Amino acid sequence: EVQLVESGGGLVQPGGSLRLSCVASGFTFRSYSMKWVRQAPGKGLEWISYISTSGLGNKFDADSVKGRFTISRDDAKNSLYLQMNSLGVEDTAVYYCAREGGYCSGTTCYYYSDYWGQGTLVTVSS
Amino acid sequence: DIQMTQSPSSLSASVGDRVTITCRASQSIASYLNWYQQEAGKAPKLLIYAASSLQSGVPSRFSGSGSGTHFTLTISSLQPEDIATYFCQQSYSLPRTFGQGTKVEIK
């Protein structure tokens, strides 16, 4: 059974830092791209950060977190991380890690988030 | 970034009703469109990928259609367990942006 378990959320003051972790099980972690998606209280989903497989070595961050958040992975530990610096009140949200699944038909590949963790709440407040 | 716009923002329907949610992209995204269901307090769940392909285990009353810039998610016969917020997402380019969501309630 595929499982993603996030941890590391909590209360932090504005300007502070936090590191989120996501431990994966039930699949070959190193073979999948991963991402972080967040959801502010009562709001919609915001895709914030993506990392490809280690072999490809690609990362992508949304403008809202670029330069402040860093995504990384440790395939030996089946783990995904999000280092969050210079946190502001606008970063208050539930943070989900998700696996990027894909379906290819010929040369066309479609990607989606097929498994999600339960989320970890980050609250930025003084 | 590609902007995704859903309508309506919320809807109320009776059990057994046919429900349709629309998603529009700010530019053509071919069939690179996913739909997710999020029940209150839970993580999102993938329903549809590639605009019309049903994810394994998802009831057949859910269907997706469209291509280019206009997409729809249809629930053929609304059930009480379908009460949730539904999000579309484009997978044409990074960042993979979401629509703002459509909240479905029972009348």
Side-chain angles (χ1 to χ4, degrees):
Chain A
E1 180 193 5
V2 171
Q3 282 197 317
L4 298 170
V5 180
E6 302 99 334
S7 61
L11 175 64
V12 61
Q13 292 188 337
S17 298
L18 214 53
R19 189 195 195 205
L20 305 184
S21 299
C22 170
V23 177
S25 60
F27 66 100
T28 306
F29 179 74
R30 64 178 180 274
S31 298
Y32 287 85
S33 299
M34 299 291 294
K35 78 278 302 271
W36 289 96
V37 176
R38 70 182 180 183
Q39 187 169 36
K43 301 297 184 181
L45 300 170
E46 182 186 12
W47 187 101
I48 58 170
S49 198
Y50 161 94
I51 187 167
S52 68
T53 57
S54 296
L56 290 174
N58 296 324
K59 298 181 183 180
F60 190 96
D61 298 317
D63 287 345
S64 58
V65 305
K66 197 168 293 184
R68 301 187 300 122
F69 290 11
T70 302
I71 190 171
S72 62
R73 64 189 297 159
D74 185 337
D75 292 341
K77 295 183 177 180
N78 288 342
S79 293
L80 177 72
Y81 305 101
L82 187 67
Q83 177 66 44
M84 304 186 295
N85 299 328
S86 303
L87 285 161
V89 294
E90 68 278 7
D91 297 314
T92 294
V94 173
Y95 285 73
Y96 296 100
C97 66
R99 187 181 87 167
E100 177 143 299
Y103 162 75
C104 293
S105 176
T107 58
T108 301
C109 291
Y110 299 93
Y111 297 102
Y112 40 79
S113 300
D114 56 356
Y115 288 95
W116 299 65
Q118 84 287 352
T120 187
L121 176 63
V122 172
T123 303
V124 185
S125 175
S126 55
Chain B
D1 297 358
I2 298 175
Q3 306 301 314
M4 306 301 293
T5 304
Q6 287 180 236
S7 61
S9 297
S10 65
L11 66 89
S12 181
S14 300
V15 172
D17 282 354
R18 183 181 184 89
V19 170
T20 299
I21 299 169
T22 296
C23 178
R24 292 185 184 272
S26 60
Q27 66 181 74
S28 177
I29 58 171
S31 296
Y32 294 91
L33 193 283
N34 305 319
W35 288 99
Y36 299 88
Q37 175 195 62
Q38 186 180 33
E39 298 176 49
K42 294 187 177 181
K45 170 189 172 184
L46 176 68
L47 295 178
I48 302 279
Y49 62 93
S52 60
S53 295
L54 197 66
Q55 172 69 345
S56 176
V58 174
S60 59
R61 64 180 178 274
F62 291 93
S63 64
S65 65
S67 66
T69 62
H70 185 214
F71 302 87
T72 58
L73 173 70
T74 299
I75 308 173
S76 60
S77 177
L78 187 67
Q79 300 301 303
E81 59 266 33
D82 300 335
I83 299 313
T85 301
Y86 294 83
F87 295 92
C88 63
Q89 179 204 32
Q90 61 84 14
S91 60
Y92 182 82
S93 65
L94 297 175
R96 306 210 198 282
T97 42
F98 292 92
Q100 80 279 15
T102 296
K103 188 174 184 178
V104 175
E105 298 175 320
I106 294 288
K107 191 181 294 182

